[in-house]
Amino acid sequence: MAWGMNPRVEAYLAVAQMNTEGDLRAARVSARHRGVAEVVDPENSQTTTINLARPHRATHEDAWPPVVGDWVAIEREEIVAILPRATYLERGSVQAASTMQPMAANVDLILLVDGLYPTPSQGWAERIAALGAESGIPVWAVLTKEDLVTPDEAARAAARIAPLVDRLFTVVATDHATLTDLMGSLSPDQTIALIGHSGVGKSTLTNALTGTQLATGEVRSADGKGRHTTTTRQLVAGEHALILDTPGLRQLASTATLDSLDEVFPRLAELAASCRFADCSHSGEPGCAVAQALDEGLIDTDELTRYRRMRAESQRHAHRSNARLKRANERKQSKENTRGRRGAMALKGRTN
């Protein structure tokens, strides 16, 4: 169905219809700009720009404001409801704040895009894999710029990334012959988020998969990277796929739970289960099976360092989020108490 429309969305639209007297239609958020959202009608692919600053019946919902990929129920140009999300993709702020930064909703597949030249980052792949595990979204890797490395170099790089993802492809984004396997594995009904650093070829890959003409930059000879061209998240529909092209990310803070990190680092998780203490941080405690394996050369120092860093980031984020939630609840309780006292005083005045 067009733009990812499916029976699930139709069912939730029917539920929203029962709660209003108007005639609702479903639309999908295809782009977000400052204060406005572009929504597309799946029946005719017509786009409407909606001002999010003015009141909507859905403004009070916890899911507000809508993000790219959201399905919304619309009457005229008013958002009546944000339909329940199948998946929700968000990342932690790299700043000290504990707020989460929404990326997209209703994503079916993450394509981790990285360049084979100069070399794909294993640490970056681990973070994307953790993001997918935390969001319940499968992750495939697409390693671009295959033409800039030797077959042996490509094979070695792929061998490092493959254990972290569900599937892996090596391609030249401008050569359709190298994209055959990838295109044949995708469904036009899937919503696919492309995530990667700037200049790794996400927009070029989007053009190849959808037949569109998104702006792309020339590749620099020094490092094989293109110029940053995508400045906003946008859904792009094409024959082979429905692609969410995203701006390049400089950093990606880890917000994964320890269970999600264990999925990304299964060897360390297995070792950690044998540690003397259940809450072992693998930083020098007695009876640490991870430290013993490191001393014996059974695990890689760099891998353990990356794991410790991501674990520490996740714990700090959880601590800040819990503190922020506690403060929000305290403010809400204070307001409710104030209203209660005012109501009691008013009632007392009327009864005297």
Side-chain angles (χ1 to χ4, degrees):
M1 294 185 179
W3 292 93
M5 187 69 171
N6 57 53
R8 176 185 177 277
V9 176
E10 293 173 340
Y12 280 122
L13 178 65
V15 172
Q17 183 67 69
M18 290 188 293
N19 296 325
T20 185
E21 296 180 357
D23 186 16
L24 303 183
R25 72 182 193 279
R28 194 159 196 197
V29 180
S30 59
R32 274 283 309 275
H33 306 289
R34 186 172 299 177
V36 300
E38 293 181 6
V39 302
V40 61
D41 188 325
E43 294 185 1
N44 53 29
S45 294
Q46 290 185 350
T47 299
T48 302
T49 300
I50 294 182
N51 183 356
L52 298 179
R54 64 181 179 82
H56 295 264
R57 272 176 274 177
T59 305
H60 67 282
E61 295 183 4
D62 291 339
W64 188 268
V67 301
V68 175
D70 263 326
W71 283 99
V72 293
I74 290 181
E75 183 182 7
R76 298 184 181 88
E77 293 187 5
E78 180 186 5
I79 298 178
V80 175
I82 298 174
L83 302 184
R85 296 156 172 161
T87 58
Y88 187 63
L89 193 58
E90 60 182 353
R91 68 187 185 99
S93 170
V94 295
Q95 306 299 326
S98 59
T99 55
M100 297 293 288
Q101 298 178 356
M103 298 179 69
N106 302 308
V107 171
D108 301 308
L109 174 67
I110 294 173
L111 286 189
L112 157 63
V113 184
D114 204 349
L116 283 165
Y117 181 82
T119 182
S121 168
Q122 186 167 350
W124 181 253
E126 288 165 349
R127 288 175 180 268
I128 301 298
L131 180 68
E134 190 70 11
S135 306
I137 304 172
V139 179
W140 295 0
V142 179
L143 303 182
T144 62
K145 310 182 190 299
E146 186 181 18
D147 55 330
L148 299 182
V149 298
T150 67
D152 287 344
E153 289 171 333
R156 286 194 295 270
R160 289 191 293 107
I161 303 300
L164 300 169
V165 296
D166 298 291
R167 295 189 67 178
L168 182 142
F169 303 84
T170 58
V171 305
V172 179
T174 56
D175 183 355
H176 280 256
T178 68
L179 297 170
T180 302
D181 289 345
L182 175 59
M183 287 181 173
S185 303
L186 301 177
S187 166
D189 296 331
Q190 287 179 305
T191 298
I192 303 165
L194 270 59
I195 301 179
H197 291 300
S198 296
V200 295
K202 297 189 303 300
S203 294
T204 302
L205 183 61
T206 298
N207 288 340
L209 295 176
T210 61
T212 53
Q213 294 297 322
L214 298 181
T216 59
E218 294 182 357
V219 174
R220 298 190 297 257
S221 59
D223 56 9
K225 293 185 177 181
R227 295 184 183 275
H228 174 67
T229 53
T230 302
T231 58
T232 185
R233 298 180 185 94
Q234 55 184 327
L235 273 177
V236 183
E239 179 182 354
H240 298 282
L242 179 61
I243 299 293
L244 172 63
D245 190 24
T246 65
L249 300 179
R250 293 177 181 269
Q251 296 175 284
L252 183 63
S254 175
T255 58
T257 62
L258 295 184
D259 287 342
S260 295
L261 288 181
D262 286 347
E263 291 186 38
V264 179
F265 297 92
R267 180 171 53 177
L268 293 178
E270 183 178 357
L271 287 169
S274 300
C275 290
R276 179 186 301 177
F277 303 108
D279 60 347
C280 183
S281 65
H282 321 305
S283 302
E285 294 93 333
C288 176
V290 173
Q292 181 179 345
L294 182 64
D295 291 339
E296 296 174 357
L298 301 178
I299 58 175
D300 181 67
T301 303
D302 292 338
E303 180 184 15
L304 180 57
T305 299
R306 294 192 302 270
Y307 170 74
R308 284 171 172 167
R309 185 181 297 121
M310 290 180 65
R311 178 187 173 107
E313 288 176 13
S314 298
Q315 290 174 330
R316 286 197 298 270
H317 174 79
H319 176 74
R320 291 196 300 262
S321 296
N322 291 337
R324 181 168 55 87
L325 181 60
K326 180 180 178 180
R327 290 193 298 271
N329 287 335
E330 288 174 348
R331 288 194 296 270
K332 181 179 178 181
Q333 186 65 45
S334 177
K335 290 180 180 178
E336 291 175 350
N337 290 341
T338 300
R339 285 195 295 267
R341 288 194 299 271
R342 288 175 178 171
M345 294 298 292
L347 181 62
K348 182 178 180 180
R350 286 195 297 270
T351 55
N352 285 342

